[in-house]
């Protein structure tokens, strides 16, 4: 119950919209509030890199927010990629979120390569951090 009551404070949704989101995606109540707050903030941060996304975020529907919370890892990566590359400048958040991972990768041919490079950089940084701690 307390997680439910906090959702309107940690998402961009009103009390009424939270009710609709929970009906659409009840498993959101199993998520930690800190996780939801963190990914909502990451979504806001990336959405504010484009005017259209900012408008979409500011009036995000409960259904789209539920969809985002269900698949936030993949969707945040898509937004990060598009924000960095400038691809699909006219796409709304809905258009970014809704395609399957395969369809998104087909439309954005450099996406999988970017993911691999990003992963390799993160692994390299983690190795360096571990090495630094061992010194």
């Amino acid at each position: 119950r307390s997680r439910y009551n906090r959702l309107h404070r940690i998402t961009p949704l009103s009390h009424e919209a939270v009710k609709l989101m929970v009906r659409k995606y009840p498993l959101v109540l199993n998520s930690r509030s800190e996780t939801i707050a963190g990914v909502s903030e990451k979504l806001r941060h990336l959405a504010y890199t484009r005017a259209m996304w900012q408008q979409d975020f500011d009036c995000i529907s409960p259904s789209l927010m539920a969809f985002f919370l269900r698949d936030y890892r993949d969707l945040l990566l898509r937004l990060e990629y598009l924000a960095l590359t400038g691809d699909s400048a006219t796409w709304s958040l809905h258009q970014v979120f809704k395609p399957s991972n395969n369809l998104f990768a087909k439309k954005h041919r450099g996406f999988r390569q970017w993911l691999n490079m990003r992963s390799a950089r993160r692994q390299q940084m983690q190795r360096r951090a571990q090495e630094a701690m061992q010194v």
Side-chain angles (χ1 to χ4, degrees), residues 10-11 19 24 31 39 41 48 50 58 70 75 77 81-82 84 88 92 94 96 105 118 120 123 132 134:
I10 60 176
T11 66
K19 285 181 192 176
K24 184 82 172 168
S31 300
V39 298
E41 181 59 23
Y48 274 56
R50 291 190 181 176
D58 290 342
R70 191 189 77 203
L75 302 179
L77 288 169
Y81 173 79
L82 293 176
L84 289 171
S88 299
S92 67
H94 186 271
V96 174
R118 183 182 185 277
Q123 289 173 0
Q134 292 176 357

Side-chain angles (χ1 to χ4, degrees), residues 49-85:
T49 64
R50 291 190 181 176
M52 179 185 291
W53 291 353
Q54 180 180 353
Q55 291 172 359
D56 291 345
F57 177 82
D58 290 342
C59 62
I60 195 165
S61 70
S63 178
L64 192 59
M65 190 66 189
F67 189 86
F68 168 75
L69 290 173
R70 191 189 77 203
D71 295 323
Y72 68 84
R73 287 176 184 90
D74 291 336
L75 302 179
L76 286 173
L77 288 169
R78 291 179 187 187
L79 289 171
E80 183 180 340
Y81 173 79
L82 293 176
L84 289 171
T85 63

Side-chain angles (χ1 to χ4, degrees), residues 3 6 10 31-40:
R3 286 183 183 169
R6 274 184 264 166
I10 60 176
S31 300
R32 294 178 54 229
S33 297
E34 297 81 9
T35 301
I36 294 171
V39 298
S40 293

Side-chain angles (χ1 to χ4, degrees), residues 80-134:
E80 183 180 340
Y81 173 79
L82 293 176
L84 289 171
T85 63
D87 285 357
S88 299
T90 60
W91 277 25
S92 67
L93 286 181
H94 186 271
Q95 290 171 300
V96 174
F97 291 178
K98 287 300 181 168
S100 69
N101 286 336
N102 284 335
L103 283 176
F104 185 86
K106 281 182 184 177
K107 172 67 178 158
H108 301 92
R109 299 251 178 235
F111 181 65
R112 287 202 172 117
Q113 181 182 3
W114 174 83
L115 278 177
N116 292 334
M117 288 175 24
R118 183 182 185 277
S119 177
R121 277 193 311 269
R122 290 181 69 127
Q123 289 173 0
Q124 184 180 44
M125 289 172 52
Q126 288 174 343
R127 277 195 306 274
R128 287 181 183 165
Q130 288 174 347
E131 290 169 0
M133 292 180 73
Q134 292 176 357

